[in-house]
Amino acid sequence: MRTLYDFPGGIHPPENKRQSSETPIRIANLPERLIIPLQQHIGAPARTRVSEGDRVLKGDVLGDTEGAFSVPVHAPTSGHIERIGPHAVPHPSGLDDWCVTLIPDGKDHWGACHPLPESDQQDPDRLLAHIHKAGIAGLGGAGFPTGIKLRPPETDSIRTVILNAAECEPYITADDRLIRDRAAEVVSGLQIVRRILNPEQCLIGIEDNKPDAIQALESAVDGTGIEVVVIPTRYPSGGEKQLIQVLTGEEVPHGGIPADIGVLCQNVGTAAAIHRAVYHGEPLIQRITTLTGDALCEPGNVETLIGTPIRHLLDSAGFDEARAGDVLMGGPMMGFSLPDLAMPVVKTTNCLLAGSPEELPPPPPPQPCIRCGYCADACPMELLPQQLFWFAQSGENDKAEQHNLFDCIECGACSWVCPSQIPLVQYYRSTKGEIREQREEQIRADRARERFEARQARLEREQAEKEAKRQARKEAAAKARQTPPASKAAPERSAAASETVAAPSEAPDIETLEKQLLKAQAKRNNMRNMLDDARKRGADNVDKLEKAVAKNDDRVDAAQKALEKARSGLTETGGATE
Amino acid sequence: MNRGRTSSPHQPGPNRTGRLMAWVMAAALPGLLAQTLFFGWGNLINTVFCIALSVGTEAAVLALRQRPVRFFLRDNTAALTGLLLGLSLPPLTPWWVSAIAVISAIVLAKQLYGGLGANPFNPAMVGYALVLVSFPVALTTRWVAPAGTEEAVLPGLIETLSIIFGGSTPVDAFTMATPLDVYKHGIAGALASQVTTHPTFGDGIARGWEWVNAGFLAGGLFLLWRRIISWHIPVSLLASLALMSLVFGWDPDRATPLSLHLVSGATMLGAFFIATDPVSAATSHRGKLIYGAGIGLLLYVIRTWGTYPDAIAFAVLLMNLSVPFIDHYTQPRTYGHRKARRVGTGGA
Ligand code: SF4
Ligand code: SF4
């Protein structure tokens, strides 16, 4: 029996999973049109590979990778492209995305399907390339491209691969149902991941409220060396950081990623998608989505094409619009309320929760914070949500940041327990947004200032040079007047001329030195600010920064000396002219 | 339909401030019952009066501040402040003294600071300390002789009402000094065995008082069990009081013994109901431990070397003062950080 570790805090909200978990996965029927966003993941949008009016087959590439952080997008079914343009997509930002609208022809004809040849199935690089080409991105959370995630900086640094089957969020049963119906696919996908990363251990973390799924996994992993670890049900045990803590006892360092401690987490749906891509050549064009909530007559899980309009999917489950309040993408704890049901299903749509107003009541007016500390007791990150709230509310963004606001995973446990019903997460989100904006603003301002200063310096220098030239010309002219136009004056004159010509040739040297000095000064000031900040915070890297400042001081001195030397050299030569 | 506007989480949890306060008040009932059984109607009348006045005052101030009155009254904190004052003031306190305590608690200590959540001091204790300092006689001679004392009688309902509201002075047969008071002043010139012959001690440790404290302890355990309060403050408070008493007062012939410290006076009421007021207490677990220990320590110091026989109010108020510092030095270490960051808190 493996030792399990504990994570601090956590809550036990009503699970509400049985509404949707007890019927097998249904296949959603084809909608009239599919709206496929070209950016369904963190990273750059894919470049369109089709034009309006084109006919496509199922699995054809619609958009291709633009940057390193992007994955291709494929046609979920056969049909023709009606339109390419902006369309509302489910994203908390509320911004439109560039989408391809596809009218299915109903035939669902596959284009060419390329499973990875057996000879290549053992080669990590071939596997990675194949996974990337299949457009696979994390099917839970942020939707990070899987092909990139599976390629950590040093491949051999991953010691533990964790399949996150905890599914701690209430209402959502997509992973549970996927495991129950297709455990073999999930485990097969995990084995591919294991082949790529070659970790010491491979674990599946699952909450103990899913006995059927646990059983299915136990029999599927038999003989593979993969271990199914059953963990106590407590929200948010499925948070990546929490699951890692429960299974390994280690914490992902602040500002780092799990790979820093040799861990990689994969989502259940992603594992199944990897299996399908490698063995069947199917790109990621569909996913399992939980349809649930009191406003649906037939809740359950469906396998749906990406791009299916949400309303179509809800209608297929008996959506009773009159009874519906909010419709959420995701669960009640971390999901967000959809402004528009014409939005399509995307790769990260794990759940659509169409609740009645009683089920998802409008937030009550918050009462004052009574500092009861329940929120701190519930916080899995061991923050002090009441203090963060205080700072967020009073606009003390810097203090909120110093109290580790950016470590908040927005799990909502604090808001859930708050007796005064304060929408804490909302405050944190908007404060984080403000701080990010300020940072960007700062960077922009810094850049503008640098540019301005550089320009100013250039103008001054040009002015000085002009002045010097004028002076030189004047002197030369004066000398020329003093000395009669004799033949022996000519070389002198030409010498003076050559001096004036030589001066500019020397100027670039000073210019680069000046630039160097400015750069060194900027860097040192930057270091100094960081040091001050670190001292104020009592951070652990003070001594390191002190050293850095000292080093940069030296650099500035050196640059200054070099510049002075160059300048005095110039005046010396300048003096020689006289 | 305003879809897409609300922020997660979309379902509320089970806690409500008003309900929590109501539970705290309910948990105080066993203590109040014991007070009524052993010390007559006084505390009950005081409590009802203080609650009514407290709620009325809060409503009036909220109306003056142009705040939604009903909305804020629903948090039940004003009623709780009234209740705590009613439980801590001597049973025969004249109504105007209670009234001054209540009004200063609500107006001075709470609303002038901006209302619930913004008050650095425990409102009930501000009110209590104010009248204790201003009217020491009324606050020390109005304790009732516990039921069962031979040479005393328990005042009846009518008599109690006329003493509290009618301004009549209680007859000597009604009143008696508290055990803490008697012991403290008696032990200076006598042995423990002689001091404890005083009727206030009865056959046990402190007649009546032991039951009152048992009642508040029971209520406190209930609050712990329901997880309405956390154990940190009461446990550290009682532990530090006990430790001080064992170190400095181990000899019952020279100082008040531990048993008396624990089961008489307002010890349990203070530990479970007063010191645990969240608004004015330290906020992290470690902070709460320090905060509670500080109160226990001050409680012992003032009871032993100060002029007041009981000291919950002063001990709590003094520790309220140090909360910003405690909070500053007890920030928890966040996940993924090597150590806690220490940065200024709001009030520091
Ligand atoms: S749970 Fe709510 S009321 Fe309690 S301390 Fe946290 S924010 Fe304040
Ligand atoms: S939302 Fe943030 S502050 Fe609140 S419990 Fe979760 S991690 Fe802690």
Side-chain angles (χ1 to χ4, degrees), chain A residues 375 378-381 383 385 388 407-414 425 428:
Chain A
C375 49
C379 178
M381 299 300 287
L383 297 163
L388 291 179
D407 286 292
C408 167
I409 57 170
E410 298 180 12
C411 67
C414 51
V425 177
Y428 305 154

Side-chain angles (χ1 to χ4, degrees), chain A residues 457-476:
Chain A
R458 201 188 69 227
L459 289 179
E460 273 168 26
R461 203 183 49 240
E462 279 172 5
Q463 194 62 36
E465 273 164 18
K466 252 190 226 156
E467 186 66 18
K469 267 189 214 165
R470 212 168 49 91
Q471 203 68 30
R473 261 202 306 274
K474 222 167 88 187
E475 277 159 17

Side-chain angles (χ1 to χ4, degrees), chain A residues 475-498:
Chain A
E475 277 159 17
K479 261 186 197 160
R481 247 180 280 123
Q482 274 168 13
T483 22
S487 56
K488 74 173 198 194
E492 221 183 320
R493 217 173 138 186
S494 64
S498 72

Side-chain angles (χ1 to χ4, degrees), chain A residues 332 337 371 374 377 386 407 421, chain B residues 4 10 16 228 281 283 285 337:
Chain A
S337 171
R371 293 186 18 114
Y374 292 180
D377 289 347
Q386 69 274 49
D407 286 292
Q421 316 256 302
Chain B
H10 300 271
R16 298 289 178 278
I228 289 170
T283 203
H285 288 170
H337 287 254

